Amino acid sequence: MEPDVLGPPYERQTIDLGTDDEGPVVATLVRRRAERPTGRAVLYVHGFVDYFFQTHVADFFAERGWDFYALDLRKYGRSLLPHQTPNFCHDLGDYFPELDAAAKIIREDDGHDTLLGMGHSTGGLILSLWAHARRDAGLVDGLFLNSPFFDINAPWLVRRPLAAAVSRLGRSAPQRILPFGLGTVYGESLHAEHRGEWTYDLAWKPLAGFPVRAGWINAIRTAQRQLRAGLEIPVPVLLACSTRSFKGTKWHDSAALADAVLDVEHMVRWAPRLGHHVTLARFDGGLHDLTLSGPAVREKVFAEVGRWAEAFLGAGPTNVGPDAGDPAGAAVPGSREPAADTAPAGAPQAG
């Protein structure tokens, strides 16, 4: 391990992944040790146009005895090399080698006996497919999916017939740039120089994102079709999302209280296809990355994750006292009030 750009107590390890059609490939594993380790660890995987910078998430787990690891996937963030197309892949299975390597480091090299996979957006889709593919290997003990990318946020004609046509183009001309992108609304809701409270590297996470390419859409569509056909993830899954989506392309104050990237109803619809043990939690006022929502919503998200981990992963007490770390991560001692609308994934949902 070497020092990370976040500074102490964060350190990082470069994972050599050989070469692909663009040249050398690496991934980067970031680590933040708990002061009182418990043998438990988290492996965090970011979304599209993203990288790990959410130190308050690491603090929440570290304060509870979890060592926190975050993986900057190939061609993202710390792992993006000058000769590479940012955030591009031909198949989401391309990311499995770095996930395998990270799990080996966490379990074998660092000696952890419990591993929680945590994936945001595209990272949630990638982790789901990986957990399914490695279901007999015992690599993870649970998954926390934060607004996973289970379907394309567009009308049916776009996300089905048009997406199929784009997928065919992606197989013959994968680097073709498509005439649409992410827009700036979500980025504006996050970054401190605009309407948000967070500071991060705009070279690694640009406000309007990176160009969307046909080959990437083909990879996403292929993965989403596999998920919708049904996975067999054998461990408990917590899927969390907002109660509403924001559909506009220009800023409106309601974008600060909704998922401005994906359709949350797609997540709810396809959650039961993950496996037989799926819990669904929805948070009113949540952003696309729930952990970057406003303080009151963050507090509910962390409290729910803590209770879920205690119940299903045998994680032990999640309360660490009123003086420990980020107040957003502190559960209320003795409280039995629900932190969110929660239900088994097959149950009807309001809102």
Side-chain angles (χ1 to χ4, degrees):
M1 289 279 183
E2 60 185 11
D4 185 61
V5 294
L6 294 173
Y10 295 90
E11 49 192 351
R12 68 181 184 185
Q13 178 175 343
T14 300
I15 301 172
D16 187 350
L17 298 167
T19 61
D20 67 3
D21 56 348
E22 292 187 322
V25 181
V26 300
T28 309
L29 187 63
V30 179
R31 182 175 69 186
R32 191 251 201 255
R33 293 278 202 182
E35 290 186 8
R36 297 181 298 278
T38 59
R40 299 190 292 267
V42 177
L43 175 59
Y44 174 87
V45 182
H46 56 77
F48 184 58
V49 189
D50 208 356
Y51 72 102
F52 172 66
F53 64 90
Q54 298 90 338
T55 56
H56 64 294
V57 179
D59 290 343
F60 169 80
F61 284 102
E63 287 161 4
R64 286 150 182 82
W66 296 71
D67 284 347
F68 186 90
Y69 297 78
L71 189 63
D72 274 15
L73 299 168
R74 63 184 70 195
K75 306 184 184 183
Y76 282 87
R78 299 164 177 81
S79 307
L80 179 61
L81 303 178
H83 61 273
Q84 294 176 329
T85 303
N87 300 187
F88 182 77
C89 73
H90 293 278
D91 186 292
L92 295 197
D94 293 348
Y95 300 118
F96 290 2
E98 50 254 60
L99 287 166
D100 291 341
K104 181 179 182 297
I105 291 168
I106 294 167
R107 283 203 177 270
E108 297 182 16
D109 297 353
D110 289 354
H112 295 90
D113 52 37
T114 300
L115 178 57
L116 170 65
M118 178 178 178
H120 168 56
S121 196
T122 305
L125 178 60
I126 295 167
L127 264 185
S128 297
L129 296 180
W130 176 71
H132 167 78
R134 303 292 188 263
R135 59 190 178 276
D136 296 325
L139 297 182
V140 291
D141 300 282
L143 293 183
F144 168 37
L145 306 180
N146 170 5
S147 305
F149 187 13
F150 285 174
D151 212 339
I152 295 171
N153 185 12
W156 181 86
L157 285 173
V158 175
R159 71 176 190 269
R160 294 296 181 264
L162 182 57
V166 172
S167 287
R168 290 192 293 272
L169 175 64
R171 290 190 287 271
S172 61
Q175 293 285 358
R176 180 76 60 84
I177 294 176
L178 302 175
F180 57 81
L182 298 180
T184 62
V185 171
Y186 180 55
E188 289 180 51
S189 75
L190 297 183
H191 204 278
E193 294 179 1
H194 297 272
R195 305 171 193 272
E197 60 175 296
W198 308 100
T199 300
Y200 50 83
D201 192 333
L202 290 172
W204 288 347
K205 186 177 173 63
L207 208 63
F210 293 109
V212 175
R213 298 173 188 269
W216 184 81
I217 289 291
N218 179 54
I220 292 294
R221 182 173 178 272
T222 300
Q224 290 175 342
R225 290 178 68 189
Q226 181 183 355
L227 174 127
R228 294 195 297 269
L231 304 181
E232 297 179 12
I233 298 174
V235 297
V237 179
L238 172 62
L239 189 154
C241 63
S242 182
T243 56
R244 65 179 69 90
S245 295
F246 175 79
K247 300 291 187 179
T249 58
K250 294 184 179 179
W251 178 260
H252 186 275
D253 287 347
S254 60
L257 298 170
D259 190 320
V261 179
L262 298 179
D263 187 330
V264 294
E265 299 308 323
H266 292 160
M267 306 170 200
V268 175
R269 178 181 181 184
W270 300 115
R273 303 299 177 91
L274 292 163
H276 298 294
H277 193 160
V278 181
T279 303
L280 176 65
R282 304 187 70 174
F283 297 89
D284 190 32
L287 296 181
H288 177 53
D289 185 340
L290 292 168
T291 69
L292 301 182
S293 303
V297 178
R298 291 202 301 272
E299 182 176 356
K300 292 179 179 179
V301 171
F302 286 126
E304 187 64 31
V305 172
R307 277 197 291 268
W308 176 86
E310 182 176 343
F312 295 116
L313 301 185
T318 58
N319 296 337
V320 294
D323 298 325
D326 184 356
V332 179
S335 173
R336 302 305 301 170
E337 292 298 317
D341 299 324
T342 59
Q349 292 291 315

